[in-house]
Amino acid sequence: MRKLVLAMMTAVNGRLDDPDAWTSGISDDHYREIDRGYATFDTILVGRVTAAEMIDFWPGQRNQEGAGETHLAMAEKMHAYRKYVFTSDPDLALDWHNTEVVPVRDDDELGAFVRELKSRPGADIHLSGGARLAATLVRLGLVDEYRFFVHPVQSPGATWYGRLDDQLRLELIKAQTFENGVVALTYRPVSE
């Protein structure tokens, strides 16, 4: 069965939204690690707002002059991935290669879709965000691994911690630091 991996950048206090407001850049060693992690995915799950942000950025990056090799490789991955955009708006239309809009009315529909997707053959699935989608899939017990890139800053904004109903114990699998002060933490849920 495929793993659902929640992989996100976050501030120390859990902020997820508007990363341009609180990140100070991605160092080369950090970007290479992100790229290595993304090589394990073939599918991305996002909410409507995150999808709009990604569509504004990634399609134009594939031929970006002066972009580094890692950035161009990431742009190609983002183009190739199967992308599912979850929304309550059944009429939402998006123009992005290999993207499917998935209208869901409630958590039961969302959970059923993700469980079925995990049962299909393929590589791991990246849960990219946003905060509400991530919190819902965590609450439904569907996240198999957590990969956080914790930036050395506290910043006001939307966090996903406030949306969780119950405590979830995690086991540290890997920790890594980067030149820019970011710490990568990889966890998996501990079976009770």
Side-chain angles (χ1 to χ4, degrees), residues 6 8-17 22 130-136 138-139 146-151 153-155 157-168 170 183 185 187:
L6 171 61
M8 290 188 175
M9 294 186 303
T10 180
V12 169
N13 62 317
R15 182 175 184 182
L16 298 173
D17 70 327
W22 50 269
R132 197 168 104 209
L133 176 62
T136 300
V138 168
R139 187 172 39 75
Y146 298 79
R147 296 179 192 165
F148 296 115
F149 290 97
V150 182
H151 287 253
V153 63
Q154 292 183 10
S155 182
T159 69
W160 69 285
Y161 297 116
R163 300 171 191 246
L164 301 178
D165 298 330
D166 297 315
Q167 179 172 291
L168 175 65
L170 303 173
V183 177
L185 301 169
Y187 295 96

Side-chain angles (χ1 to χ4, degrees), residues 44-59 78 83-87 92-96 99-101 128-130 133:
I44 295 180
L45 308 183
V46 294
R48 178 191 50 79
V49 173
T50 302
E53 292 169 355
M54 294 172 85
I55 290 168
D56 282 346
F57 182 76
W58 283 113
M78 296 304 289
K83 296 168 281 286
Y84 293 98
V85 179
F86 296 92
T87 179
L92 179 67
L94 297 174
D95 185 23
W96 191 16
T99 298
E100 180 179 333
V101 174
S128 182
L133 176 62

Side-chain angles (χ1 to χ4, degrees), residues 111-131:
F113 183 91
V114 172
R115 279 188 287 280
E116 194 276 326
L117 185 63
K118 287 173 65 172
S119 73
R120 295 180 195 168
D124 290 342
I125 302 164
H126 176 209
L127 171 54
S128 182

Side-chain angles (χ1 to χ4, degrees), residues 61-81:
Q61 298 302 304
R62 293 176 60 220
N63 301 312
Q64 185 71 19
E65 277 192 44
E69 184 179 322
T70 304
H71 183 79
L72 293 173
M74 180 68 74
E76 284 302 321
K77 285 180 181 77
M78 296 304 289
H79 178 74
Y81 290 141

